[in-house]
Amino acid sequence: MSMLSIFNVSGSAASAQSQRLNVVASNLANADTVAGPNGQAYKARQVNFQTELMGQTANDPTSAGVRVSTIAEDQTPGRKVHDPKHPSADAEGYVTYSNVNAVEEMVNMISASRSYQNNLEVMNTAKSLLLKTIQLGQG
Amino acid sequence: MLNRLTDSLDFQGQALQLRSERQRLIASNIANADTPGYIARDMDFAKTLKAATGALPAAGALATSHAGHLGTGGAAGAGGAKVAGELLYATPSQTNLDRNTVDMDRERASFADNAIKYEATLRFINSNVRTSLQAITGQ
């Protein structure tokens, strides 16, 4: 039953995509976070995907799932806004915001949700094919 | 007589097996649509099916029951479906910055196409079984 491992493959991809969506949600939620007393603002995060072979043998390329290998932080400096009246302003009157780029995050979100839907559809198709295979020979 | 009934079932069985392998392969490609560096794989279905069924005796062929008997063509040994060695690489139609060669439109089309052909093979087997049953019961 080689089609049963489609659920492992697509399931791992759906899980990875949902993790990506989760990271996007964190980034968007922190888009307007300002630096705390330590001067460090929130840094945008991004997931890195990696292929994970899931076949019975070690080098079977026919069932390749996905896993999140690392979650990297964007090291570009945060946005600085001159606002001396702000409670979090530094000695020169600048407020450091997080370095989240809202446009990039929205694009990332749409891409993740489309990939998630694709994988769900793959699983649905595999399920209906397997159900029909179970009824093989009955009429 | 009986092996004429089962030979065509054998062929359809191999086809079904290969269809499910291909389904899994395309599911892996769709799952890895966002993985950097992933290279899409596919199989030449006609060639693989020919290789898998070429070892089956043709209908009405003589069986070899002794080492001295001459074979009737085709490779000796079990005609199991061997897929892993004959995988091809899909040629990317558009280059991608992260060196991923999955073409989502093509993969979706191949997936739907393969699912329909899998169902068609299931129907062939079902009607084959029905025909055999009718012949046996003699109604």
Side-chain angles (χ1 to χ4, degrees):
Chain A
M1 295 293 274
S2 59
M3 269 223 292
L4 277 177
S5 63
I6 286 184
F7 294 107
N8 293 338
V9 170
S10 294
S12 76
S15 148
Q17 296 291 352
S18 82
Q19 204 168 336
R20 180 177 171 200
L21 209 54
N22 215 335
V23 168
V24 169
S26 308
N27 288 347
L28 279 178
N30 283 289
D32 284 330
T33 312
V34 294
N38 61 353
Q40 289 295 311
Y42 177 86
K43 287 192 167 62
R45 277 149 214 195
Q46 193 158 19
V47 294
N48 284 328
F49 288 159
Q50 202 176 38
T51 304
E52 182 183 31
L53 294 181
M54 299 179 130
Q56 266 100 32
T57 55
N59 286 319
D60 180 13
T62 57
S63 42
V66 187
R67 70 185 173 93
V68 174
S69 58
T70 52
I71 296 180
E73 280 191 346
D74 186 358
Q75 295 301 333
T76 52
R79 184 159 53 92
K80 278 188 187 283
V81 176
H82 187 65
D83 186 4
K85 290 194 294 266
H86 197 283
S88 303
D90 60 9
E92 291 156 8
Y94 281 98
V95 184
T96 311
Y97 285 86
S98 71
N99 60 356
V100 175
N101 184 339
V103 178
E104 264 176 32
E105 298 302 331
M106 293 303 284
V107 171
N108 226 338
M109 181 187 84
I110 295 169
S111 168
S113 96
R114 287 281 179 265
S115 300
Y116 191 89
Q117 288 171 18
N118 267 334
N119 283 298
L120 284 197
E121 205 180 300
V122 167
M123 280 196 272
N124 267 331
T125 309
K127 179 189 152 205
S128 72
L129 287 182
L130 279 169
L131 283 178
K132 281 177 184 147
T133 314
I134 287 173
Q135 292 169 353
L136 186 65
Q138 289 179 358
Chain B
M1 175 58 205
L2 197 62
N3 71 348
R4 283 199 185 191
L5 288 176
T6 54
D7 272 354
S8 116
L9 272 183
D10 275 350
F11 177 79
Q12 300 290 0
Q14 288 285 357
L16 195 69
Q17 165 98 25
L18 282 176
R19 283 279 169 216
S20 76
E21 295 269 347
R22 178 151 191 251
Q23 194 79 352
R24 198 178 58 177
L25 201 58
I26 299 170
S28 301
N29 287 345
I30 293 178
N32 282 285
D34 290 329
T35 311
Y38 179 82
I39 292 164
R41 310 295 295 267
D42 205 349
M43 63 163 78
D44 183 341
F45 188 82
K47 216 160 133 192
T48 321
L49 183 62
K50 205 173 270 178
T53 56
L56 293 177
L62 295 174
T64 53
S65 54
H66 186 270
H69 289 171
L70 290 175
T72 53
K82 290 237 165 43
V83 181
E86 288 146 25
L87 288 185
L88 305 173
Y89 294 97
T91 327
S93 52
Q94 297 174 58
T95 52
N96 212 337
L97 262 184
D98 59 3
R99 296 190 315 283
N100 182 309
T101 66
V102 178
D103 182 346
M104 194 45 110
D105 302 325
R106 196 168 55 194
E107 298 298 338
R108 287 283 299 264
S110 309
F111 191 79
D113 169 74
N114 201 55
I116 288 172
K117 284 175 178 161
Y118 184 90
E119 278 197 38
T121 309
L122 278 181
R123 287 199 189 183
F124 287 146
I125 297 180
N126 269 332
S127 63
N128 229 317
V129 169
R130 214 179 305 129
T131 313
S132 309
L133 278 177
Q134 264 172 359
I136 291 168
T137 49
Q139 281 169 359

